Short mmCIF file of all heavy atoms in Angstrom, two decimals:
data_model
loop_
_atom_site.label_atom_id
_atom_site.label_comp_id
_atom_site.label_asym_id
_atom_site.label_seq_id
_atom_site.Cartn_x
_atom_site.Cartn_y
_atom_site.Cartn_z
N LYS A 1 169.11 87.70 59.98
CA LYS A 1 168.41 88.97 59.76
C LYS A 1 166.99 88.67 59.29
O LYS A 1 166.77 88.27 58.15
CB LYS A 1 169.16 89.80 58.71
CG LYS A 1 170.58 90.17 59.10
CD LYS A 1 170.61 91.08 60.32
CE LYS A 1 172.05 91.51 60.64
NZ LYS A 1 172.09 92.30 61.90
N LEU A 2 166.04 88.87 60.18
CA LEU A 2 164.63 88.62 59.87
C LEU A 2 163.87 89.93 59.76
O LEU A 2 164.11 90.87 60.54
CB LEU A 2 163.97 87.77 60.96
CG LEU A 2 164.38 86.30 61.09
CD1 LEU A 2 163.68 85.69 62.30
CD2 LEU A 2 164.03 85.52 59.84
N GLY A 3 162.93 90.00 58.82
CA GLY A 3 162.02 91.14 58.77
C GLY A 3 161.06 91.08 59.95
O GLY A 3 160.92 90.03 60.59
N PRO A 4 160.36 92.19 60.24
CA PRO A 4 159.48 92.22 61.42
C PRO A 4 158.37 91.17 61.39
O PRO A 4 158.05 90.57 62.42
CB PRO A 4 158.90 93.64 61.42
CG PRO A 4 159.26 94.23 60.10
CD PRO A 4 160.42 93.49 59.57
N THR A 5 157.80 90.91 60.22
CA THR A 5 156.73 89.91 60.14
C THR A 5 157.29 88.51 60.36
O THR A 5 156.69 87.69 61.08
CB THR A 5 156.00 89.99 58.79
OG1 THR A 5 155.45 91.30 58.64
CG2 THR A 5 154.87 88.97 58.72
N GLU A 6 158.44 88.22 59.75
CA GLU A 6 159.05 86.91 59.93
C GLU A 6 159.47 86.71 61.39
O GLU A 6 159.37 85.60 61.93
CB GLU A 6 160.27 86.75 59.01
CG GLU A 6 159.92 86.58 57.54
CD GLU A 6 159.39 87.87 56.90
OE1 GLU A 6 159.96 88.95 57.17
OE2 GLU A 6 158.40 87.80 56.15
N PHE A 7 159.92 87.79 62.04
CA PHE A 7 160.29 87.71 63.45
C PHE A 7 159.07 87.34 64.30
O PHE A 7 159.14 86.49 65.19
CB PHE A 7 160.89 89.03 63.93
CG PHE A 7 161.36 89.01 65.36
CD1 PHE A 7 162.64 88.58 65.68
CD2 PHE A 7 160.53 89.42 66.39
CE1 PHE A 7 163.07 88.54 67.00
CE2 PHE A 7 160.95 89.39 67.71
CZ PHE A 7 162.23 88.95 68.01
N ARG A 8 157.92 87.98 64.02
CA ARG A 8 156.70 87.68 64.78
C ARG A 8 156.22 86.25 64.52
O ARG A 8 155.74 85.58 65.44
CB ARG A 8 155.60 88.70 64.45
CG ARG A 8 155.92 90.12 64.91
CD ARG A 8 154.70 91.02 64.87
NE ARG A 8 154.19 91.22 63.53
CZ ARG A 8 154.57 92.19 62.71
NH1 ARG A 8 155.51 93.06 63.10
NH2 ARG A 8 154.04 92.33 61.51
N LEU A 9 156.35 85.80 63.27
CA LEU A 9 155.98 84.42 62.96
C LEU A 9 156.84 83.43 63.75
O LEU A 9 156.33 82.49 64.37
CB LEU A 9 156.16 84.16 61.46
CG LEU A 9 155.00 84.46 60.52
CD1 LEU A 9 155.46 84.31 59.07
CD2 LEU A 9 153.81 83.55 60.79
N LEU A 10 158.16 83.66 63.72
CA LEU A 10 159.06 82.75 64.42
C LEU A 10 158.80 82.77 65.92
O LEU A 10 158.83 81.72 66.58
CB LEU A 10 160.52 83.12 64.12
CG LEU A 10 161.58 82.19 64.73
CD1 LEU A 10 161.41 80.76 64.26
CD2 LEU A 10 162.99 82.71 64.43
N THR A 11 158.51 83.95 66.47
CA THR A 11 158.19 84.05 67.89
C THR A 11 156.97 83.20 68.23
O THR A 11 156.96 82.45 69.21
CB THR A 11 157.92 85.52 68.29
OG1 THR A 11 159.06 86.31 67.99
CG2 THR A 11 157.62 85.63 69.78
N THR A 12 155.93 83.30 67.41
CA THR A 12 154.71 82.52 67.62
C THR A 12 155.02 81.03 67.61
O THR A 12 154.59 80.27 68.49
CB THR A 12 153.68 82.86 66.53
OG1 THR A 12 153.35 84.25 66.63
CG2 THR A 12 152.42 82.02 66.69
N PHE A 13 155.80 80.58 66.62
CA PHE A 13 156.16 79.16 66.53
C PHE A 13 156.98 78.72 67.74
O PHE A 13 156.78 77.64 68.29
CB PHE A 13 156.96 78.89 65.26
CG PHE A 13 156.14 78.89 64.00
CD1 PHE A 13 156.58 79.56 62.87
CD2 PHE A 13 154.93 78.21 63.93
CE1 PHE A 13 155.84 79.55 61.69
CE2 PHE A 13 154.17 78.20 62.76
CZ PHE A 13 154.63 78.87 61.64
N MET A 14 157.96 79.56 68.15
CA MET A 14 158.88 79.14 69.21
C MET A 14 158.24 79.16 70.59
O MET A 14 158.72 78.50 71.51
CB MET A 14 160.14 80.01 69.18
CG MET A 14 161.00 79.72 67.95
SD MET A 14 162.58 80.57 67.94
CE MET A 14 163.45 79.80 69.32
N GLU A 15 157.15 79.90 70.75
CA GLU A 15 156.45 79.87 72.04
C GLU A 15 155.74 78.53 72.26
O GLU A 15 155.55 78.10 73.39
CB GLU A 15 155.43 81.01 72.11
CG GLU A 15 156.10 82.36 72.34
CD GLU A 15 155.11 83.49 72.49
OE1 GLU A 15 154.02 83.43 71.89
OE2 GLU A 15 155.43 84.45 73.21
N LYS A 16 155.34 77.88 71.16
CA LYS A 16 154.63 76.59 71.29
C LYS A 16 155.15 75.63 70.22
O LYS A 16 154.43 75.33 69.25
CB LYS A 16 153.12 76.80 71.15
CG LYS A 16 152.48 77.62 72.25
CD LYS A 16 150.98 77.68 72.06
CE LYS A 16 150.32 78.67 72.98
NZ LYS A 16 150.25 78.37 74.34
N PRO A 17 156.39 75.13 70.38
CA PRO A 17 156.92 74.19 69.39
C PRO A 17 156.02 72.96 69.28
O PRO A 17 155.51 72.46 70.28
CB PRO A 17 158.29 73.80 69.97
CG PRO A 17 158.65 74.92 70.89
CD PRO A 17 157.35 75.40 71.47
N GLY A 18 155.82 72.52 68.05
CA GLY A 18 154.99 71.34 67.82
C GLY A 18 153.53 71.65 67.61
O GLY A 18 152.80 70.85 67.01
N ARG A 19 153.05 72.81 68.08
CA ARG A 19 151.64 73.17 67.88
C ARG A 19 151.41 73.51 66.41
O ARG A 19 152.21 74.20 65.79
CB ARG A 19 151.26 74.37 68.74
CG ARG A 19 149.90 74.92 68.35
CD ARG A 19 149.40 76.04 69.19
NE ARG A 19 148.21 76.63 68.57
CZ ARG A 19 147.40 77.47 69.19
NH1 ARG A 19 147.62 77.82 70.44
NH2 ARG A 19 146.35 77.99 68.57
N VAL A 20 150.31 73.01 65.86
CA VAL A 20 149.94 73.34 64.47
C VAL A 20 149.08 74.60 64.48
O VAL A 20 148.04 74.64 65.15
CB VAL A 20 149.18 72.17 63.81
CG1 VAL A 20 148.78 72.55 62.39
CG2 VAL A 20 150.05 70.91 63.81
N TRP A 21 149.53 75.61 63.75
CA TRP A 21 148.80 76.87 63.63
C TRP A 21 148.15 76.94 62.26
O TRP A 21 148.82 76.77 61.24
CB TRP A 21 149.75 78.06 63.78
CG TRP A 21 150.39 78.20 65.12
CD1 TRP A 21 151.53 77.60 65.55
CD2 TRP A 21 149.94 79.02 66.20
NE1 TRP A 21 151.81 77.98 66.84
CE2 TRP A 21 150.86 78.85 67.27
CE3 TRP A 21 148.85 79.88 66.38
CZ2 TRP A 21 150.72 79.52 68.48
CZ3 TRP A 21 148.71 80.54 67.59
CH2 TRP A 21 149.64 80.35 68.62
N SER A 22 146.86 77.20 62.20
CA SER A 22 146.21 77.42 60.91
C SER A 22 146.61 78.80 60.39
O SER A 22 147.09 79.65 61.13
CB SER A 22 144.68 77.35 61.06
OG SER A 22 144.19 78.48 61.77
N ARG A 23 146.38 79.02 59.10
CA ARG A 23 146.69 80.33 58.53
C ARG A 23 145.89 81.43 59.22
O ARG A 23 146.40 82.53 59.47
CB ARG A 23 146.42 80.33 57.02
CG ARG A 23 147.42 79.49 56.22
CD ARG A 23 146.95 79.26 54.79
NE ARG A 23 147.93 78.50 54.02
CZ ARG A 23 148.05 77.18 54.06
NH1 ARG A 23 147.26 76.47 54.86
NH2 ARG A 23 148.96 76.57 53.33
N GLU A 24 144.62 81.16 59.52
CA GLU A 24 143.77 82.16 60.18
C GLU A 24 144.29 82.49 61.57
O GLU A 24 144.29 83.65 62.00
CB GLU A 24 142.32 81.65 60.27
CG GLU A 24 141.59 81.56 58.94
CD GLU A 24 142.02 80.36 58.10
OE1 GLU A 24 142.68 79.44 58.64
OE2 GLU A 24 141.70 80.35 56.90
N GLN A 25 144.75 81.47 62.31
CA GLN A 25 145.30 81.73 63.64
C GLN A 25 146.58 82.55 63.57
O GLN A 25 146.81 83.44 64.39
CB GLN A 25 145.58 80.39 64.35
CG GLN A 25 144.32 79.66 64.79
CD GLN A 25 144.60 78.25 65.26
OE1 GLN A 25 145.55 77.59 64.83
NE2 GLN A 25 143.78 77.77 66.18
N LEU A 26 147.41 82.26 62.57
CA LEU A 26 148.64 83.05 62.40
C LEU A 26 148.32 84.48 62.02
O LEU A 26 148.98 85.42 62.49
CB LEU A 26 149.54 82.40 61.34
CG LEU A 26 150.19 81.08 61.77
CD1 LEU A 26 150.89 80.43 60.58
CD2 LEU A 26 151.20 81.30 62.90
N LEU A 27 147.30 84.68 61.18
CA LEU A 27 146.90 86.05 60.84
C LEU A 27 146.48 86.82 62.08
O LEU A 27 146.88 87.96 62.29
CB LEU A 27 145.74 86.02 59.83
CG LEU A 27 146.09 85.69 58.38
CD1 LEU A 27 144.83 85.56 57.54
CD2 LEU A 27 147.02 86.75 57.78
N ASP A 28 145.67 86.19 62.95
CA ASP A 28 145.22 86.85 64.18
C ASP A 28 146.39 87.18 65.09
O ASP A 28 146.48 88.28 65.64
CB ASP A 28 144.23 85.96 64.94
CG ASP A 28 142.86 85.94 64.30
OD1 ASP A 28 142.61 86.76 63.40
OD2 ASP A 28 142.04 85.10 64.70
N ARG A 29 147.31 86.23 65.26
CA ARG A 29 148.40 86.39 66.22
C ARG A 29 149.49 87.34 65.70
O ARG A 29 150.02 88.15 66.45
CB ARG A 29 149.01 85.02 66.57
CG ARG A 29 150.18 85.04 67.53
CD ARG A 29 149.80 85.57 68.90
NE ARG A 29 148.97 84.65 69.65
CZ ARG A 29 149.43 83.77 70.52
NH1 ARG A 29 150.72 83.67 70.75
NH2 ARG A 29 148.61 82.99 71.19
N VAL A 30 149.81 87.23 64.42
CA VAL A 30 150.95 87.98 63.87
C VAL A 30 150.55 89.33 63.29
O VAL A 30 151.21 90.34 63.51
CB VAL A 30 151.68 87.13 62.81
CG1 VAL A 30 152.79 87.92 62.12
CG2 VAL A 30 152.25 85.87 63.46
N TRP A 31 149.44 89.36 62.56
CA TRP A 31 149.01 90.61 61.93
C TRP A 31 148.00 91.37 62.79
O TRP A 31 147.87 92.57 62.68
CB TRP A 31 148.41 90.34 60.55
CG TRP A 31 149.44 90.13 59.48
CD1 TRP A 31 149.91 91.09 58.62
CD2 TRP A 31 150.12 88.91 59.13
NE1 TRP A 31 150.84 90.53 57.76
CE2 TRP A 31 150.99 89.19 58.05
CE3 TRP A 31 150.07 87.62 59.62
CZ2 TRP A 31 151.80 88.23 57.47
CZ3 TRP A 31 150.88 86.64 59.05
CH2 TRP A 31 151.74 86.95 57.98
N GLY A 32 147.23 90.65 63.61
CA GLY A 32 146.20 91.29 64.44
C GLY A 32 144.82 91.04 63.87
O GLY A 32 144.62 90.91 62.66
N ARG A 33 143.83 90.99 64.75
CA ARG A 33 142.46 90.63 64.36
C ARG A 33 141.79 91.72 63.52
O ARG A 33 140.86 91.45 62.77
CB ARG A 33 141.60 90.37 65.60
CG ARG A 33 141.99 89.14 66.36
CD ARG A 33 141.06 88.93 67.55
NE ARG A 33 139.68 88.72 67.13
CZ ARG A 33 139.18 87.54 66.78
NH1 ARG A 33 139.93 86.47 66.78
NH2 ARG A 33 137.91 87.43 66.44
N ASP A 34 142.21 92.97 63.67
CA ASP A 34 141.51 94.07 63.02
C ASP A 34 142.07 94.41 61.64
O ASP A 34 141.64 95.38 61.01
CB ASP A 34 141.57 95.33 63.91
CG ASP A 34 140.93 95.08 65.26
OD1 ASP A 34 139.95 94.31 65.31
OD2 ASP A 34 141.41 95.64 66.26
N ILE A 35 143.04 93.64 61.18
CA ILE A 35 143.67 93.93 59.88
C ILE A 35 143.30 92.83 58.90
O ILE A 35 143.44 91.64 59.20
CB ILE A 35 145.21 94.01 60.03
CG1 ILE A 35 145.57 95.15 60.99
CG2 ILE A 35 145.89 94.21 58.68
CD1 ILE A 35 147.03 95.22 61.34
N TYR A 36 142.81 93.23 57.71
CA TYR A 36 142.47 92.22 56.71
C TYR A 36 143.69 91.91 55.86
O TYR A 36 144.24 92.79 55.21
CB TYR A 36 141.31 92.65 55.82
CG TYR A 36 141.07 91.62 54.73
CD1 TYR A 36 140.43 90.41 55.03
CD2 TYR A 36 141.55 91.81 53.44
CE1 TYR A 36 140.25 89.43 54.07
CE2 TYR A 36 141.37 90.84 52.46
CZ TYR A 36 140.73 89.66 52.79
OH TYR A 36 140.57 88.68 51.84
N VAL A 37 144.11 90.67 55.88
CA VAL A 37 145.22 90.20 55.06
C VAL A 37 144.79 88.87 54.46
O VAL A 37 144.23 88.02 55.15
CB VAL A 37 146.51 90.01 55.89
CG1 VAL A 37 147.66 89.55 54.99
CG2 VAL A 37 146.91 91.30 56.59
N ASP A 38 145.06 88.67 53.19
CA ASP A 38 144.73 87.41 52.52
C ASP A 38 145.56 86.28 53.14
O ASP A 38 146.74 86.46 53.45
CB ASP A 38 145.04 87.52 51.03
CG ASP A 38 144.45 86.35 50.24
OD1 ASP A 38 145.02 85.25 50.35
OD2 ASP A 38 143.45 86.55 49.54
N THR A 39 144.92 85.10 53.32
CA THR A 39 145.65 83.99 53.95
C THR A 39 146.87 83.56 53.14
O THR A 39 147.82 83.01 53.70
CB THR A 39 144.72 82.76 54.14
OG1 THR A 39 144.12 82.44 52.89
CG2 THR A 39 143.64 83.05 55.17
N ARG A 40 146.87 83.83 51.82
CA ARG A 40 148.04 83.46 51.02
C ARG A 40 149.28 84.26 51.41
O ARG A 40 150.41 83.84 51.15
CB ARG A 40 147.72 83.65 49.53
CG ARG A 40 146.79 82.57 48.96
CD ARG A 40 146.33 82.90 47.57
NE ARG A 40 145.50 84.10 47.55
CZ ARG A 40 144.89 84.57 46.46
NH1 ARG A 40 145.01 83.93 45.31
NH2 ARG A 40 144.14 85.65 46.51
N THR A 41 149.04 85.43 52.03
CA THR A 41 150.16 86.24 52.50
C THR A 41 150.97 85.47 53.55
O THR A 41 152.18 85.61 53.64
CB THR A 41 149.63 87.56 53.13
OG1 THR A 41 148.85 88.23 52.15
CG2 THR A 41 150.77 88.46 53.57
N VAL A 42 150.28 84.65 54.35
CA VAL A 42 150.97 83.84 55.35
C VAL A 42 151.98 82.92 54.67
O VAL A 42 153.13 82.80 55.10
CB VAL A 42 149.96 83.00 56.18
CG1 VAL A 42 150.69 82.07 57.14
CG2 VAL A 42 149.00 83.91 56.94
N ASP A 43 151.55 82.28 53.57
CA ASP A 43 152.45 81.36 52.86
C ASP A 43 153.70 82.08 52.35
O ASP A 43 154.81 81.55 52.41
CB ASP A 43 151.73 80.72 51.67
CG ASP A 43 150.48 79.94 52.11
OD1 ASP A 43 150.49 79.42 53.24
OD2 ASP A 43 149.53 79.85 51.33
N VAL A 44 153.52 83.31 51.86
CA VAL A 44 154.66 84.09 51.36
C VAL A 44 155.67 84.34 52.47
O VAL A 44 156.88 84.14 52.29
CB VAL A 44 154.17 85.43 50.77
CG1 VAL A 44 155.36 86.34 50.43
CG2 VAL A 44 153.32 85.20 49.53
N HIS A 45 155.17 84.76 53.64
CA HIS A 45 156.09 85.08 54.75
C HIS A 45 156.69 83.82 55.36
O HIS A 45 157.83 83.85 55.83
CB HIS A 45 155.36 85.91 55.80
CG HIS A 45 155.15 87.34 55.36
ND1 HIS A 45 156.14 88.29 55.43
CD2 HIS A 45 154.08 87.95 54.81
CE1 HIS A 45 155.67 89.44 54.97
NE2 HIS A 45 154.42 89.25 54.59
N ILE A 46 155.95 82.71 55.35
CA ILE A 46 156.53 81.44 55.79
C ILE A 46 157.70 81.08 54.88
O ILE A 46 158.76 80.62 55.34
CB ILE A 46 155.48 80.31 55.79
CG1 ILE A 46 154.43 80.54 56.89
CG2 ILE A 46 156.14 78.94 55.95
CD1 ILE A 46 154.88 80.24 58.30
N GLY A 47 157.52 81.28 53.58
CA GLY A 47 158.60 81.01 52.63
C GLY A 47 159.83 81.85 52.91
O GLY A 47 160.97 81.35 52.86
#
């Protein structure tokens, strides 16, 4: 049972296994470019 943000994160990872994603790239892909979210939020959802 994954929340919607965790589901989007896992989808991003599973589309390109092994690729290293920076926090900024994950923010763009998962949250969208037009939304301001602190990069530390990425760490919380990764956890």
Side-chain angles (χ1 to χ4, degrees):
K1 299 296 183 185
L2 290 175
T5 301
E6 288 71 43
F7 182 87
R8 293 194 296 270
L9 272 172
L10 183 59
T11 301
T12 298
F13 286 135
M14 290 186 67
E15 285 183 330
K16 295 184 190 289
R19 169 176 170 167
V20 179
W21 295 86
S22 70
R23 289 168 178 82
E24 291 76 14
Q25 288 170 331
L26 289 172
L27 284 174
D28 285 349
R29 178 64 71 95
V30 175
W31 280 265
R33 292 182 62 85
D34 301 325
I35 299 173
Y36 175 75
V37 181
D38 192 286
T39 54
R40 286 171 295 184
T41 304
V42 175
D43 301 330
V44 172
H45 286 280
I46 291 285

